[in-house]
Amino acid sequence: MMQWSWRQAFYCMTGILGNVETQSSEPFTRSCCGRISPLYWRVPILVWALFVMFWSIAYFWGPKDMFFLYMTHWGLAFIVLESIFGIFVAIGRRGLTDATFGLPWYVKTYWILYNITIPVAFLITVFYWGILRTSVNTVNFAPNPVLDVMLHGVNSGVMLVELVCSAHPSRLLHIMQPLYFAGAYMLFSVIYFFAGGLDPWGNPFIYPVVDWSKPEQTMVVITLTALFLALMHLLVVGIAAARDAIAKRREDVPTGVYNDAFAP
């Protein structure tokens, strides 16, 4: 059984990247599918995300300054950022330092964005179709049905492609990174509520199921959402482990890079 040290516990609670001085940059610059460049999927994902971003802004149902009230749009912005840094890492592979000097800052940034964006995309899809669309207080968050699917369905699909095709690790100890993202959004919603903020229809909440005028109900929703987001992170780690095990078996080599989920 794995014995956790105080340092590993610290890495987990803070969500920071641990032992990056011993982590090679090489897995971040390639695909798990042989010599295929990550650019083959990261560039299309960026183009898709930018297209959907501009489309969403153009068809937004309220004032444009309210666009980033919603976690869906936060998640979309993170897909844009994650793709940009992923492309930069793939293009700049020749200039990456080796494990002796640790990971460059832009590789660390990409890794953090990757750790946050994928489970959050999965959460947005499940939260929207499983809770918001079935809520008694139904609000029409996406008047365009095609855009609705793009924002709340295809978002998870493109991030699943990123997860399945990448070769770098996903760590259990990084579970706090997506949770801190969710915590930042929760704090934003609290501040917005107590500042008298309204949604585009004049309601005193952003989402009807996250109504701070009903704190007990809202805290139940937030707690369950946080637990589900943690579960999504575990799912990401499991998929990464299965991906690398399959890639390792396909290459038929006794050693190689694999997803050691318990490493810091």
Side-chain angles (χ1 to χ4, degrees):
M1 180 178 295
M2 174 187 164
Q3 297 295 323
W4 275 36
S5 66
W6 66 267
R7 182 174 296 180
Q8 289 171 318
F10 173 77
Y11 290 147
C12 181
M13 292 304 298
T14 58
I16 64 175
L17 302 175
N19 288 353
V20 291
E21 69 276 5
T22 62
Q23 172 68 54
S24 171
S25 298
E26 189 271 340
F28 294 86
T29 66
R30 63 177 177 83
S31 166
C32 71
C33 308
R35 296 184 178 181
I36 298 176
S37 169
L39 295 176
Y40 282 105
W41 71 84
R42 289 177 187 164
V43 170
I45 288 176
L46 176 60
V47 172
W48 172 87
L50 288 173
F51 173 75
V52 174
M53 176 72 78
F54 290 124
W55 187 9
S56 300
I57 293 173
Y59 278 82
F60 185 59
W61 52 86
K64 297 298 186 288
D65 58 358
M66 290 186 173
F67 182 77
F68 282 108
L69 287 182
Y70 299 95
M71 179 177 277
T72 295
H73 298 150
W74 284 35
L76 183 60
F78 265 65
I79 292 176
V80 171
L81 291 174
E82 192 267 355
S83 300
I84 290 173
F85 275 90
I87 291 169
F88 188 62
V89 168
I91 292 176
R93 60 185 303 172
R94 294 182 180 179
L96 295 176
T97 58
D98 60 21
T100 304
F101 302 100
L103 296 178
W105 68 269
Y106 49 90
V107 177
K108 297 176 186 176
T109 302
Y110 164 71
W111 198 4
I112 292 172
L113 290 170
Y114 172 95
N115 291 336
I116 293 173
T117 305
I118 297 176
V120 166
F122 294 167
L123 171 70
I124 287 171
T125 296
V126 176
F127 186 85
Y128 181 76
W129 297 106
I131 298 179
L132 288 181
R133 289 299 293 262
T134 60
S135 173
V136 175
N137 298 320
T138 302
V139 176
N140 189 9
F141 288 102
N144 187 302
V146 177
L147 182 59
D148 194 10
V149 174
M150 287 286 185
L151 287 169
H152 306 109
V154 179
N155 64 320
S156 289
V158 297
M159 285 295 95
L160 182 61
V161 170
E162 168 78 321
L163 170 60
V164 171
C165 293
S166 296
H168 55 81
S170 293
R171 307 295 198 211
L172 284 174
L173 293 180
H174 297 160
I175 192 170
M176 294 305 298
Q177 292 174 10
L179 290 177
Y180 284 147
F181 169 87
Y185 183 81
M186 182 193 71
L187 180 61
F188 163 74
S189 70
V190 171
I191 295 173
Y192 189 76
F193 171 78
F194 283 104
L198 304 174
D199 76 349
W201 295 277
N203 298 310
F205 51 73
I206 298 175
Y207 293 109
V209 295
V210 184
D211 183 354
W212 288 106
S213 65
K214 306 172 183 176
E216 296 84 1
Q217 172 185 305
T218 298
M219 286 306 301
V220 170
V221 172
I222 287 176
T223 301
L224 293 176
T225 301
L227 291 174
F228 186 81
L229 181 57
L231 180 61
M232 290 299 95
H233 179 77
L234 297 180
L235 176 64
V236 169
V237 173
I239 293 175
R243 170 203 71 194
D244 292 344
I246 293 171
K248 187 176 179 181
R249 177 172 295 183
R250 186 183 65 246
E251 294 172 2
D252 194 26
V253 292
T255 60
V257 175
Y258 66 100
N259 190 55
D260 182 5
F262 291 98

